[in-house]
Amino acid sequence: MSKVPVVSVIIPTYNRAHLLERAVMSVLNQTYQDLELLVVDDASTDDTMGVISKINDSRIRYIRHAVNKGGSAARNTGIKESRGRFIAFQDSDDEWLWDKLKKQIEVFDACDDKVGVVYTGYLLWEGQSAVYIPQSQVKVKDGDVLSQILVENIVGTPTLLVRKKCLERAGHFDEGLPRFQDWELVIRLAKVCQFRLIDHPMVIAYSTPGNVSSNKTAGLSALETLLKKHSSLFCDYPKEQAKLLKEVGHLKCMYENTTDGREYFIKSVKVNPWNIKIYFSWLLSLFGKNLYVANKRFCHFLSETLKNV
């Protein structure tokens, strides 16, 4: 391939040979064709190489790690090898709608250079039901989204199209985080550029049993690391900091112990003393882990039941 593509699409993969072709073809079949596809095989032990070798398309570049390094390292390898002015990410178990890239490029063409990220909505399938993200209650979806992103990641990695120069300013994926590497990267992107949302599902994502997102312990560790890494930034956003401190306290009460959980509830109160829910969680934690877990699960059950009434 001699012509430099406009878009570089990166798919990290590890032992997903049975799903990979669907993801790859959803990229290659885009109506926007000026792209290269970098498939970064993170030392798979299945027939990943065979699946890719059977797809006859000169836009594919297959890169293989000699040893397994993790998804973030695989994405970073793809970024370093990319040639396009724009970078997009796809997951090996998800699929894009056919006109995703075309619509994103059209938005970029209509924007100034302050906009560094165009992302889309997506459908997250879990079993037989799907949730649309970002959900309707999300307040800030366009422009300066940093305050919103600090509370939760509303940007799915496979929905991203980002200017490469903005990605270079923000830095690549943090390979040291056990989870939320995508969220942490989006925080850094939100510091250096504005975002635009195509508020329509352009990606279909599937919750795969046993994937890293189901690991609660890794999630707790990643949240603590994220708070420490961006501590100076969070100082300028006390409400957002308090919410995440409360979430860490909740996870510690649920999966570790209530003593450590209470310490985070206290930290949350010190940052934002006006959130009454924090006091209730702190009080509940005094009665031990079993009662705390039972109460939270009942409240979740009740909430879900009322949604369906």
Side-chain angles (χ1 to χ4, degrees):
M1 186 190 303
S2 57
K3 181 177 177 292
V4 176
V6 173
V7 179
S8 295
V9 183
I10 299 165
I11 298 182
T13 187
Y14 176 68
N15 286 347
R16 292 276 177 82
H18 59 299
L19 298 172
L20 182 59
E21 184 176 3
R22 180 181 66 190
V24 167
M25 296 312 298
S26 78
V27 173
L28 298 178
N29 289 336
Q30 290 288 300
T31 53
Y32 187 87
Q33 292 278 296
D34 195 353
L35 61 88
E36 64 175 352
L37 173 58
L38 295 91
V39 178
V40 184
D41 183 352
D42 196 26
S44 295
T45 57
D46 62 5
D47 192 34
T48 292
M49 185 183 295
V51 169
I52 296 301
S53 66
K54 292 175 184 177
I55 302 174
N56 184 23
D57 195 307
S58 61
R59 293 173 297 170
I60 296 178
R61 296 169 61 194
Y62 176 78
I63 303 168
R64 179 178 170 82
H65 284 170
V67 296
N68 183 262
K69 299 180 180 180
S72 291
R75 289 191 180 97
N76 286 342
T77 294
I79 294 169
K80 292 169 187 174
E81 294 292 329
S82 66
R83 302 182 299 160
R85 290 189 290 113
F86 297 94
I87 305 291
F89 301 97
Q90 171 64 309
D91 285 344
S92 56
D93 54 346
D94 296 337
E95 59 184 311
W96 287 356
L97 271 63
W98 57 278
D99 57 346
K100 171 187 178 288
L101 282 182
K102 176 177 178 290
K103 290 184 180 299
Q104 289 178 298
I105 290 294
E106 288 174 348
V107 173
F108 267 121
D109 287 343
C111 293
D112 58 34
D113 283 350
K114 292 180 181 178
V115 176
V117 171
V118 175
Y119 69 108
T120 78
Y122 67 100
L123 289 176
L124 176 61
W125 279 92
E126 295 183 345
Q128 300 300 311
S129 62
V131 176
Y132 177 73
I133 300 173
Q135 295 182 312
S136 58
Q137 66 266 27
V138 175
K139 296 179 180 179
V140 183
K141 302 176 184 179
D142 281 295
D144 181 359
V145 299
L146 182 56
S147 62
Q148 181 65 56
I149 294 297
L150 286 175
V151 175
E152 61 178 326
N153 185 16
I154 60 172
V155 182
T157 307
T159 76
L160 276 172
L161 184 64
V162 55
R163 295 186 196 271
K164 188 174 183 179
K165 64 181 182 181
C166 292
L167 187 58
E168 296 299 340
R169 283 179 62 196
H172 297 175
F173 287 88
D174 185 340
E175 298 175 21
L177 280 174
R179 268 189 68 190
F180 304 138
Q181 304 95 332
D182 51 348
W183 181 13
E184 196 274 331
L185 174 63
V186 170
I187 289 173
R188 285 185 275 119
L189 283 169
K191 290 170 62 178
V192 302
C193 65
Q194 293 186 356
F195 284 43
R196 289 289 183 272
L197 168 66
I198 298 174
D199 202 359
H200 185 74
M202 304 302 295
V203 176
I204 302 173
Y206 300 93
S207 181
T208 305
N211 64 12
V212 70
S213 63
S214 65
N215 189 326
K216 303 298 184 182
T217 302
L220 175 55
S221 174
L223 267 182
E224 291 182 279
T225 302
L226 190 147
L227 279 163
K228 291 175 183 177
K229 181 173 181 177
H230 296 284
S231 58
S232 59
L233 175 62
F234 275 109
C235 287
D236 296 327
Y237 295 86
K239 289 184 179 180
E240 290 78 9
Q241 183 183 27
K243 184 171 182 177
L244 284 188
L245 287 168
K246 178 179 179 293
E247 180 63 16
V248 173
H250 166 68
L251 291 173
K252 283 189 172 291
C253 288
M254 290 289 292
Y255 302 106
E256 292 186 356
N257 64 80
T258 54
T259 301
D260 290 344
R262 278 195 298 278
E263 291 183 8
Y264 275 90
F265 292 149
I266 293 170
K267 289 179 182 178
S268 182
V269 167
K270 288 180 178 179
V271 174
N272 179 24
W274 306 112
N275 188 340
I276 303 302
K277 292 181 180 179
I278 302 176
Y279 296 97
F280 176 76
S281 295
W282 175 84
L283 181 63
L284 186 62
S285 71
L286 293 173
F287 296 94
K289 179 179 177 180
N290 290 340
L291 184 61
Y292 184 94
V293 171
N295 179 273
K296 292 297 182 180
R297 287 178 176 170
F298 174 75
C299 289
H300 177 74
F301 169 78
L302 187 62
S303 175
E304 292 299 310
T305 302
L306 291 174
K307 284 181 184 178
N308 298 320
V309 172

